[in-house]
CSV table of all heavy atoms in Angstrom, one decimal:
chain,number,residue,atom,x,y,z
A,160,ASP,N,-13.0,-3.7,-29.5
A,160,ASP,CA,-13.3,-5.0,-30.1
A,160,ASP,C,-14.0,-5.9,-29.1
A,160,ASP,O,-14.8,-6.7,-29.5
A,160,ASP,CB,-12.0,-5.7,-30.5
A,160,ASP,CG,-11.4,-5.1,-31.8
A,160,ASP,OD1,-12.2,-4.3,-32.5
A,160,ASP,OD2,-10.2,-5.3,-32.1
A,161,PHE,N,-13.8,-5.7,-27.8
A,161,PHE,CA,-14.4,-6.7,-26.9
A,161,PHE,C,-15.9,-6.4,-26.8
A,161,PHE,O,-16.7,-7.3,-26.6
A,161,PHE,CB,-13.8,-6.7,-25.5
A,161,PHE,CG,-13.9,-5.4,-24.7
A,161,PHE,CD1,-15.0,-5.1,-23.9
A,161,PHE,CD2,-12.8,-4.5,-24.7
A,161,PHE,CE1,-15.1,-3.9,-23.2
A,161,PHE,CE2,-12.9,-3.4,-23.9
A,161,PHE,CZ,-14.0,-3.1,-23.2
A,163,GLU,N,-17.6,-5.3,-29.5
A,163,GLU,CA,-18.0,-5.9,-30.7
A,163,GLU,C,-18.1,-7.4,-30.6
A,163,GLU,O,-19.1,-8.0,-31.1
A,163,GLU,CB,-17.0,-5.5,-31.9
A,163,GLU,CG,-17.5,-5.9,-33.3
A,163,GLU,CD,-16.5,-5.6,-34.4
A,163,GLU,OE1,-16.3,-4.4,-34.6
A,163,GLU,OE2,-16.0,-6.5,-35.0
A,164,ALA,N,-17.2,-8.0,-30.0
A,164,ALA,CA,-17.3,-9.4,-29.8
A,164,ALA,C,-18.5,-9.8,-29.0
A,164,ALA,O,-19.1,-10.8,-29.3
A,164,ALA,CB,-16.0,-9.9,-29.0
A,167,LEU,N,-21.4,-9.6,-31.4
A,167,LEU,CA,-21.4,-10.7,-32.3
A,167,LEU,C,-21.9,-12.0,-31.6
A,167,LEU,O,-22.5,-12.8,-32.2
A,167,LEU,CB,-20.0,-11.0,-32.8
A,167,LEU,CG,-19.4,-10.1,-34.0
A,167,LEU,CD1,-18.1,-10.5,-34.3
A,167,LEU,CD2,-20.4,-10.2,-35.1
A,168,ARG,N,-21.6,-12.1,-30.3
A,168,ARG,CA,-22.1,-13.3,-29.6
A,168,ARG,C,-23.6,-13.3,-29.5
A,168,ARG,O,-24.2,-14.3,-29.3
A,168,ARG,CB,-21.5,-13.2,-28.2
A,168,ARG,CG,-21.3,-14.6,-27.5
A,168,ARG,CD,-20.8,-14.4,-26.1
A,168,ARG,NE,-19.6,-13.7,-26.0
A,168,ARG,CZ,-19.3,-12.8,-25.1
A,168,ARG,NH1,-20.2,-12.4,-24.2
A,168,ARG,NH2,-18.1,-12.3,-25.1
A,169,GLY,N,-24.2,-12.1,-29.6
A,169,GLY,CA,-25.6,-11.9,-29.5
A,169,GLY,C,-26.1,-11.4,-28.2
A,169,GLY,O,-27.3,-11.5,-27.9
A,170,GLU,N,-25.2,-10.9,-27.4
A,170,GLU,CA,-25.5,-10.3,-26.1
A,170,GLU,C,-26.6,-9.2,-26.2
A,170,GLU,O,-26.5,-8.4,-27.1
A,170,GLU,CB,-24.3,-9.8,-25.4
A,170,GLU,CG,-23.2,-10.8,-25.1
A,170,GLU,CD,-23.5,-11.8,-23.9
A,170,GLU,OE1,-24.6,-11.7,-23.4
A,170,GLU,OE2,-22.6,-12.5,-23.6
A,174,TRP,N,-26.6,-6.6,-20.9
A,174,TRP,CA,-25.3,-7.1,-20.6
A,174,TRP,C,-24.2,-6.2,-21.1
A,174,TRP,O,-23.3,-6.0,-20.4
A,174,TRP,CB,-25.2,-8.5,-21.3
A,174,TRP,CG,-23.8,-9.1,-21.3
A,174,TRP,CD1,-22.7,-8.8,-22.1
A,174,TRP,CD2,-23.3,-10.0,-20.3
A,174,TRP,NE1,-21.6,-9.4,-21.7
A,174,TRP,CE2,-21.9,-10.2,-20.6
A,174,TRP,CE3,-23.8,-10.8,-19.2
A,174,TRP,CZ2,-21.1,-11.1,-19.9
A,174,TRP,CZ3,-23.0,-11.6,-18.5
A,174,TRP,CH2,-21.7,-11.8,-18.9
A,178,ARG,N,-22.2,-5.1,-18.1
A,178,ARG,CA,-21.0,-6.0,-17.9
A,178,ARG,C,-19.8,-5.7,-18.7
A,178,ARG,O,-18.7,-6.0,-18.4
A,178,ARG,CB,-21.4,-7.5,-18.2
A,178,ARG,CG,-22.6,-7.9,-17.3
A,178,ARG,CD,-22.2,-7.9,-15.8
A,178,ARG,NE,-21.2,-8.8,-15.5
A,178,ARG,CZ,-21.4,-10.1,-15.2
A,178,ARG,NH1,-22.7,-10.6,-15.2
A,178,ARG,NH2,-20.5,-11.0,-14.9
A,179,GLU,N,-20.0,-5.0,-19.8
A,179,GLU,CA,-18.9,-4.7,-20.7
A,179,GLU,C,-18.4,-3.2,-20.5
A,179,GLU,O,-17.3,-2.9,-20.4
A,179,GLU,CB,-19.2,-4.9,-22.2
A,179,GLU,CG,-19.7,-6.4,-22.5
A,179,GLU,CD,-18.6,-7.4,-22.4
A,179,GLU,OE1,-17.4,-7.0,-22.4
A,179,GLU,OE2,-18.9,-8.6,-22.4
A,182,PRO,N,-18.0,-1.5,-16.0
A,182,PRO,CA,-16.8,-1.7,-15.3
A,182,PRO,C,-15.6,-0.9,-15.8
A,182,PRO,O,-14.7,-0.5,-15.1
A,182,PRO,CB,-16.5,-3.2,-15.4
A,182,PRO,CG,-17.8,-3.8,-15.9
A,182,PRO,CD,-18.5,-2.8,-16.6
A,183,ASN,N,-15.7,-0.6,-17.1
A,183,ASN,CA,-14.5,0.1,-17.7
A,183,ASN,C,-14.7,1.6,-17.7
A,183,ASN,O,-13.8,2.4,-17.9
A,183,ASN,CB,-14.3,-0.3,-19.2
A,183,ASN,CG,-13.8,-1.7,-19.3
A,183,ASN,OD1,-12.6,-2.0,-18.9
A,183,ASN,ND2,-14.6,-2.7,-19.7
B,324,ARG,N,-16.9,-8.3,-41.9
B,324,ARG,CA,-18.0,-7.6,-41.3
B,324,ARG,C,-19.3,-7.9,-41.9
B,324,ARG,O,-20.4,-8.0,-41.2
B,324,ARG,CB,-17.7,-6.1,-41.3
B,324,ARG,CG,-16.6,-5.7,-40.4
B,324,ARG,CD,-16.4,-4.1,-40.4
B,324,ARG,NE,-17.4,-3.5,-39.6
B,324,ARG,CZ,-17.3,-3.2,-38.3
B,324,ARG,NH1,-16.3,-3.7,-37.7
B,324,ARG,NH2,-18.3,-2.7,-37.7
B,327,THR,N,-20.3,-11.5,-40.7
B,327,THR,CA,-20.9,-11.6,-39.4
B,327,THR,C,-22.2,-10.8,-39.3
B,327,THR,O,-22.9,-10.9,-38.3
B,327,THR,CB,-19.9,-11.0,-38.4
B,327,THR,OG1,-19.6,-9.7,-38.8
B,327,THR,CG2,-18.6,-11.7,-38.3
B,329,LEU,N,-22.3,-7.5,-39.1
B,329,LEU,CA,-22.1,-6.2,-38.5
B,329,LEU,C,-22.4,-5.1,-39.5
B,329,LEU,O,-22.9,-4.0,-39.2
B,329,LEU,CB,-20.7,-6.1,-38.0
B,329,LEU,CG,-20.4,-6.7,-36.7
B,329,LEU,CD1,-18.9,-6.7,-36.4
B,329,LEU,CD2,-21.1,-5.9,-35.5
B,356,LEU,N,-25.4,-17.3,-34.8
B,356,LEU,CA,-24.3,-16.4,-34.4
B,356,LEU,C,-23.2,-17.3,-33.8
B,356,LEU,O,-22.0,-17.1,-34.0
B,356,LEU,CB,-24.8,-15.5,-33.2
B,356,LEU,CG,-25.8,-14.4,-33.7
B,356,LEU,CD1,-26.3,-13.7,-32.5
B,356,LEU,CD2,-25.1,-13.4,-34.6
B,363,TYR,N,-9.6,-11.5,-33.2
B,363,TYR,CA,-9.2,-10.2,-33.7
B,363,TYR,C,-7.6,-10.0,-33.7
B,363,TYR,O,-6.9,-10.8,-33.1
B,363,TYR,CB,-9.7,-9.1,-32.7
B,363,TYR,CG,-11.2,-9.0,-32.8
B,363,TYR,CD1,-12.0,-9.8,-32.1
B,363,TYR,CD2,-11.8,-8.0,-33.6
B,363,TYR,CE1,-13.4,-9.7,-32.0
B,363,TYR,CE2,-13.2,-7.9,-33.6
B,363,TYR,CZ,-14.0,-8.7,-32.9
B,363,TYR,OH,-15.3,-8.6,-32.9
B,368,VAL,N,-7.3,-5.5,-26.9
B,368,VAL,CA,-8.6,-4.8,-26.9
B,368,VAL,C,-9.8,-5.7,-27.2
B,368,VAL,O,-10.9,-5.3,-27.2
B,368,VAL,CB,-8.6,-3.5,-27.8
B,368,VAL,CG1,-7.8,-2.5,-27.2
B,368,VAL,CG2,-8.2,-3.9,-29.2
B,369,ALA,N,-9.5,-6.9,-27.6
B,369,ALA,CA,-10.6,-7.9,-27.9
B,369,ALA,C,-11.1,-8.6,-26.6
B,369,ALA,O,-12.1,-9.2,-26.7
B,369,ALA,CB,-10.1,-8.9,-28.9
B,371,ASN,N,-12.3,-7.9,-22.6
B,371,ASN,CA,-12.7,-6.9,-21.6
B,371,ASN,C,-11.6,-6.9,-20.4
B,371,ASN,O,-11.4,-7.9,-19.8
B,371,ASN,CB,-14.0,-7.2,-20.9
B,371,ASN,CG,-14.5,-6.1,-20.1
B,371,ASN,OD1,-13.8,-5.3,-19.5
B,371,ASN,ND2,-15.9,-6.0,-20.0
B,372,PRO,N,-10.9,-5.7,-20.2
B,372,PRO,CA,-9.8,-5.7,-19.2
B,372,PRO,C,-10.3,-6.0,-17.8
B,372,PRO,O,-9.4,-6.3,-17.0
B,372,PRO,CB,-9.2,-4.4,-19.4
B,372,PRO,CG,-10.2,-3.6,-20.1
B,372,PRO,CD,-11.0,-4.5,-20.9
B,373,ARG,N,-11.6,-5.9,-17.6
B,373,ARG,CA,-12.0,-6.1,-16.2
B,373,ARG,C,-12.6,-7.5,-16.0
B,373,ARG,O,-13.4,-7.7,-15.0
B,373,ARG,CB,-13.1,-5.0,-15.9
B,373,ARG,CG,-12.8,-3.6,-16.1
B,373,ARG,CD,-12.0,-3.1,-15.0
B,373,ARG,NE,-11.4,-1.8,-15.3
B,373,ARG,CZ,-11.0,-0.9,-14.5
B,373,ARG,NH1,-11.1,-1.1,-13.2
B,373,ARG,NH2,-10.4,0.2,-14.9
B,382,ARG,N,-18.1,-17.2,-20.7
B,382,ARG,CA,-19.3,-16.6,-21.1
B,382,ARG,C,-20.0,-17.2,-22.3
B,382,ARG,O,-21.2,-17.5,-22.3
B,382,ARG,CB,-19.1,-15.1,-21.4
B,382,ARG,CG,-20.3,-14.3,-21.9
B,382,ARG,CD,-21.4,-14.3,-20.8
B,382,ARG,NE,-22.6,-13.8,-21.4
B,382,ARG,CZ,-23.8,-13.8,-20.8
B,382,ARG,NH1,-24.0,-14.5,-19.6
B,382,ARG,NH2,-24.9,-13.3,-21.4
B,386,PHE,N,-23.7,-18.6,-22.3
B,386,PHE,CA,-24.6,-18.0,-23.3
B,386,PHE,C,-25.2,-18.9,-24.3
B,386,PHE,O,-26.4,-18.9,-24.6
B,386,PHE,CB,-23.9,-16.8,-24.0
B,386,PHE,CG,-24.8,-15.9,-24.8
B,386,PHE,CD1,-25.6,-15.0,-24.2
B,386,PHE,CD2,-24.8,-16.0,-26.1
B,386,PHE,CE1,-26.3,-14.1,-24.9
B,386,PHE,CE2,-25.6,-15.1,-26.9
B,386,PHE,CZ,-26.4,-14.2,-26.3
B,387,TYR,N,-24.4,-19.8,-24.9
B,387,TYR,CA,-24.9,-20.6,-26.0
B,387,TYR,C,-25.4,-22.0,-25.5
B,387,TYR,O,-26.3,-22.6,-26.0
B,387,TYR,CB,-23.8,-20.9,-27.0
B,387,TYR,CG,-23.4,-19.7,-27.8
B,387,TYR,CD1,-22.1,-19.2,-27.8
B,387,TYR,CD2,-24.4,-18.9,-28.5
B,387,TYR,CE1,-21.7,-18.1,-28.6
B,387,TYR,CE2,-24.0,-17.8,-29.1
B,387,TYR,CZ,-22.7,-17.4,-29.2
B,387,TYR,OH,-22.3,-16.3,-29.9
Side-chain angles (χ1 to χ4, degrees):
Chain A
D160 285 346
F161 64 83
E163 191 182 292
L167 280 182
R168 204 186 302 139
E170 301 282 5
W174 171 280
R178 302 301 292 275
E179 305 287 348
N183 291 292
Chain B
R324 292 179 76 83
T327 55
L329 277 171
L356 295 172
Y363 294 83
V368 288
N371 190 335
R373 308 274 169 164
R382 180 60 188 168
F386 189 76
Y387 294 126

